[in-house]
Amino acid sequence: MQLSRFAVGVVSGATAVVALGGLGTRLISGTESTSALDEYSSTSVGGHKALAAYVVAGRTESKFHPLAWVGDKLSGVTCPTGLKAVAGASLTCTGHKSGGGTVRIPVHVTRADAGSVTWTFER
């Protein structure tokens, strides 16, 4: 009887640790960002207010590989232009893998207003 209670405790504890680890990974490895469109981070693309390319590239590079078991480690991420602050707008950035080769990173705007843009990238 004591052994089965111990086994149930061990299994329950292990399950809780795995669940918390999964939740932590999910929270840390998110690909969505909301960025302010202020005088330092905004530009104009095709007559539309846009998030500067260096902001999109920097945030994408930092979030692409937040944990060793999520995504590839990238460096030198660049984006061809700023990201238009219009829902549905998209562009493709490029990054370099640590082991060699390049990665194309699609970026999409999910929400935008006069003061901010919410966007996501694909891993």
Side-chain angles (χ1 to χ4, degrees):
M1 188 70 143
Q2 285 290 70
L3 185 57
S4 66
R5 284 187 187 167
F6 177 75
V8 167
V10 168
V11 170
S12 297
T15 301
V17 167
V18 169
L20 286 174
L23 178 61
T25 298
R26 172 86 172 138
L27 292 173
I28 292 171
S29 68
T31 61
E32 184 176 270
S33 292
T34 299
S35 303
L37 292 169
D38 57 24
E39 62 196 79
Y40 305 106
S41 65
S42 65
T43 188
S44 180
V45 173
H48 292 278
K49 199 168 194 178
L51 185 61
Y54 77 89
V55 175
V56 178
R59 182 79 54 87
T60 300
E61 185 173 322
S62 70
K63 293 186 77 154
F64 201 87
H65 181 277
L67 300 170
W69 55 90
V70 179
D72 291 318
K73 178 91 171 134
L74 296 183
S75 62
V77 173
T78 59
C79 301
T81 66
L83 182 60
K84 285 184 190 177
V86 176
S90 63
L91 60 84
T92 301
C93 299
T94 304
H96 302 281
K97 289 183 178 182
S98 60
T102 60
V103 176
R104 295 173 49 88
I105 309 162
V107 179
H108 308 281
V109 175
T110 57
R111 290 185 305 275
D113 60 36
S116 67
V117 61
T118 301
W119 53 280
T120 186
F121 66 87
E122 296 176 26
R123 210 176 255 122

